Amino acid sequence: MNRRTILIAGFSAALFAMAAPQVGFAQTSPLIGVWKLNLDKSKFSPGPPPKSQTLNFEGAGQDLKDTAETIDAQGQATKVVLMHIYDGKPHPTTGNPLFDATTYTPVDAYHVNFVRSKDGTAVLAGSIVISIDGRTFTATTEGTGANGEKISSVAVYEKQ
Protein backbone atom coordinates (compact mmCIF):
# COMPACT_ATOMS: atom_id res chain seq x y z
CA MET A 1 0.00 0.00 0.00
CA ASN A 2 1.15 3.49 -0.67
CA ARG A 3 1.38 6.20 1.95
CA ARG A 4 -1.84 7.93 0.84
CA THR A 5 -3.88 4.69 1.11
CA ILE A 6 -2.49 4.06 4.59
CA LEU A 7 -3.34 7.62 5.72
CA ILE A 8 -6.89 7.42 4.33
CA ALA A 9 -7.44 4.00 5.93
CA GLY A 10 -6.09 5.28 9.26
CA PHE A 11 -8.23 8.41 9.11
CA SER A 12 -11.34 6.34 8.25
CA ALA A 13 -10.65 3.95 11.13
CA ALA A 14 -10.23 6.87 13.53
CA LEU A 15 -13.54 8.42 12.41
CA PHE A 16 -15.30 5.08 12.80
CA ALA A 17 -13.81 4.58 16.27
CA MET A 18 -15.09 8.00 17.37
CA ALA A 19 -18.56 7.51 15.85
CA ALA A 20 -19.13 3.86 16.77
CA PRO A 21 -19.74 4.42 20.50
CA GLN A 22 -22.51 6.92 19.72
CA VAL A 23 -24.11 4.83 16.97
CA GLY A 24 -24.32 1.74 19.15
CA PHE A 25 -24.86 3.42 22.53
CA ALA A 26 -28.34 2.05 23.19
CA GLN A 27 -27.37 -1.49 22.25
CA THR A 28 -24.34 -1.45 24.53
CA SER A 29 -25.57 0.80 27.34
CA PRO A 30 -24.99 -0.60 30.81
CA LEU A 31 -28.44 0.80 31.71
CA ILE A 32 -30.32 -1.74 29.59
CA GLY A 33 -32.30 -4.10 31.81
CA VAL A 34 -34.51 -3.98 34.89
CA TRP A 35 -33.49 -1.95 37.96
CA LYS A 36 -35.10 -1.82 41.40
CA LEU A 37 -34.87 1.06 43.86
CA ASN A 38 -32.97 0.16 47.04
CA LEU A 39 -34.87 2.16 49.68
CA ASP A 40 -32.28 1.47 52.40
CA LYS A 41 -29.53 3.18 50.38
CA SER A 42 -31.69 6.02 49.00
CA LYS A 43 -32.65 9.42 50.48
CA PHE A 44 -35.64 11.60 49.60
CA SER A 45 -36.26 15.14 50.84
CA PRO A 46 -38.95 15.95 51.51
CA GLY A 47 -40.22 12.49 52.31
CA PRO A 48 -41.83 10.13 52.39
CA PRO A 49 -40.06 7.93 49.84
CA PRO A 50 -42.01 5.74 47.43
CA LYS A 51 -42.88 2.22 48.57
CA SER A 52 -41.19 0.82 45.47
CA GLN A 53 -39.91 1.73 42.03
CA THR A 54 -38.82 -0.41 39.09
CA LEU A 55 -37.11 0.96 36.00
CA ASN A 56 -37.05 -0.95 32.73
CA PHE A 57 -34.49 0.34 30.21
CA GLU A 58 -34.69 -0.99 26.67
CA GLY A 59 -33.00 -0.05 23.43
CA ALA A 60 -35.03 2.10 21.02
CA GLY A 61 -32.82 2.50 17.96
CA GLN A 62 -29.85 4.63 19.04
CA ASP A 63 -31.74 5.75 22.14
CA LEU A 64 -33.07 4.22 25.35
CA LYS A 65 -36.64 3.99 26.59
CA ASP A 66 -37.01 4.01 30.38
CA THR A 67 -40.37 2.93 31.80
CA ALA A 68 -40.51 3.80 35.50
CA GLU A 69 -43.24 2.10 37.54
CA THR A 70 -43.66 3.52 41.02
CA ILE A 71 -45.86 2.81 44.03
CA ASP A 72 -45.89 6.02 46.06
CA ALA A 73 -46.08 6.28 49.85
CA GLN A 74 -49.91 6.32 49.68
CA GLY A 75 -49.99 3.15 47.55
CA GLN A 76 -50.83 4.89 44.25
CA ALA A 77 -49.25 3.40 41.12
CA THR A 78 -47.75 5.63 38.43
CA LYS A 79 -45.97 4.96 35.17
CA VAL A 80 -43.55 7.46 33.63
CA VAL A 81 -41.93 6.98 30.22
CA LEU A 82 -38.63 8.75 29.59
CA MET A 83 -36.81 8.64 26.27
CA HIS A 84 -33.07 8.83 26.85
CA ILE A 85 -31.94 10.69 23.75
CA TYR A 86 -28.37 11.83 24.38
CA ASP A 87 -28.26 14.92 22.21
CA GLY A 88 -28.47 17.69 24.82
CA LYS A 89 -31.97 18.72 23.64
CA PRO A 90 -35.29 18.44 25.50
CA HIS A 91 -37.54 15.52 24.56
CA PRO A 92 -41.09 14.78 25.78
CA THR A 93 -41.60 12.82 29.00
CA THR A 94 -45.01 11.43 29.92
CA GLY A 95 -46.64 10.47 33.20
CA ASN A 96 -45.18 12.92 35.74
CA PRO A 97 -47.01 16.16 36.59
CA LEU A 98 -43.77 17.87 37.72
CA PHE A 99 -42.13 17.81 34.29
CA ASP A 100 -42.99 17.25 30.63
CA ALA A 101 -39.55 17.10 28.99
CA THR A 102 -36.06 15.82 29.80
CA THR A 103 -32.68 16.76 28.36
CA TYR A 104 -29.83 14.22 28.65
CA THR A 105 -26.17 15.07 28.16
CA PRO A 106 -23.65 12.22 28.38
CA VAL A 107 -20.40 12.79 30.23
CA ASP A 108 -18.98 9.34 29.52
CA ALA A 109 -20.23 5.74 29.27
CA TYR A 110 -21.09 5.66 32.99
CA HIS A 111 -22.26 9.21 33.71
CA VAL A 112 -25.16 11.25 32.28
CA ASN A 113 -26.41 14.67 33.34
CA PHE A 114 -30.07 15.58 32.95
CA VAL A 115 -32.47 18.52 33.22
CA ARG A 116 -36.21 18.05 33.58
CA SER A 117 -38.47 20.92 32.53
CA LYS A 118 -42.11 21.92 32.69
CA ASP A 119 -43.48 24.17 29.94
CA GLY A 120 -39.91 25.05 28.90
CA THR A 121 -38.69 25.99 32.40
CA ALA A 122 -36.10 23.84 34.18
CA VAL A 123 -37.51 22.41 37.42
CA LEU A 124 -35.12 19.53 38.23
CA ALA A 125 -31.50 18.76 37.45
CA GLY A 126 -29.24 15.89 38.29
CA SER A 127 -27.04 13.06 37.19
CA ILE A 128 -27.00 9.32 36.71
CA VAL A 129 -23.80 7.51 37.65
CA ILE A 130 -23.45 3.80 36.86
CA SER A 131 -21.01 1.73 38.91
CA ILE A 132 -18.02 0.33 37.03
CA ASP A 133 -19.28 -3.23 37.62
CA GLY A 134 -22.69 -2.25 36.16
CA ARG A 135 -24.63 -3.60 39.15
CA THR A 136 -25.86 -0.30 40.62
CA PHE A 137 -26.60 3.20 39.51
CA THR A 138 -27.26 6.33 41.49
CA ALA A 139 -29.56 9.12 40.34
CA THR A 140 -29.05 12.41 42.17
CA THR A 141 -31.75 15.04 41.68
CA GLU A 142 -32.36 18.58 42.96
CA GLY A 143 -34.99 21.11 42.07
CA THR A 144 -38.42 22.48 42.80
CA GLY A 145 -41.62 20.53 43.49
CA ALA A 146 -45.22 21.31 42.58
CA ASN A 147 -45.73 23.69 45.52
CA GLY A 148 -42.39 25.43 45.12
CA GLU A 149 -40.73 23.30 47.80
CA LYS A 150 -37.14 22.23 47.37
CA ILE A 151 -36.69 18.62 46.23
CA SER A 152 -33.50 16.66 46.77
CA SER A 153 -32.97 12.94 46.30
CA VAL A 154 -30.30 10.31 45.98
CA ALA A 155 -31.88 7.17 44.52
CA VAL A 156 -29.81 3.99 44.37
CA TYR A 157 -30.93 1.26 41.96
CA GLU A 158 -29.75 -2.34 41.68
CA LYS A 159 -29.77 -4.35 38.48
CA GLN A 160 -32.06 -7.37 38.55
Side-chain angles (χ1 to χ4, degrees), residues 37-53 70-76 151-157:
L37 178 66
N38 181 325
L39 288 166
D40 292 334
K41 295 180 180 179
S42 301
K43 297 175 187 169
F44 297 88
S45 176
K51 287 185 178 183
S52 68
Q53 186 173 61
T70 305
I71 305 295
D72 69 15
Q74 292 74 36
Q76 297 288 83
I151 294 175
S152 178
S153 67
V154 176
V156 178
Y157 298 88

Side-chain angles (χ1 to χ4, degrees), residues 2 4-5 7 9 11 15 32 35 42 50 53-54 58 60 65 68-69 72 86 89-90 113 115 125 146 151 154:
N2 66 29
R4 182 175 180 194
T5 304
L7 286 173
F11 182 70
L15 281 177
I32 289 179
W35 299 82
S42 301
Q53 186 173 61
T54 301
E58 51 193 329
K65 177 182 176 184
E69 296 186 30
D72 69 15
Y86 298 109
K89 298 176 186 172
N113 291 329
V115 175
I151 294 175
V154 176

Side-chain angles (χ1 to χ4, degrees), residues 60-82:
Q62 294 183 92
D63 308 315
L64 293 174
K65 177 182 176 184
D66 173 17
T67 303
E69 296 186 30
T70 305
I71 305 295
D72 69 15
Q74 292 74 36
Q76 297 288 83
T78 60
K79 182 188 236 182
V80 177
V81 177
L82 304 110

Side-chain angles (χ1 to χ4, degrees), residues 19 23 38-39 41 50 56 69 77 84 97 111 113 126-127 137 144 158:
V23 170
N38 181 325
L39 288 166
K41 295 180 180 179
N56 184 11
E69 296 186 30
H84 284 236
H111 182 191
N113 291 329
S127 65
F137 85 79
T144 306
E158 296 173 342

Side-chain angles (χ1 to χ4, degrees), residues 102-140:
T102 304
T103 302
Y104 293 99
T105 306
V107 176
D108 57 42
Y110 293 92
H111 182 191
V112 176
N113 291 329
F114 63 86
V115 175
R116 303 201 196 289
S117 55
K118 177 76 171 178
D119 299 326
T121 301
V123 293
L124 299 168
S127 65
I128 297 169
V129 179
I130 305 163
S131 65
I132 297 298
D133 66 8
R135 294 182 184 172
T136 62
F137 85 79
T138 304
T140 304

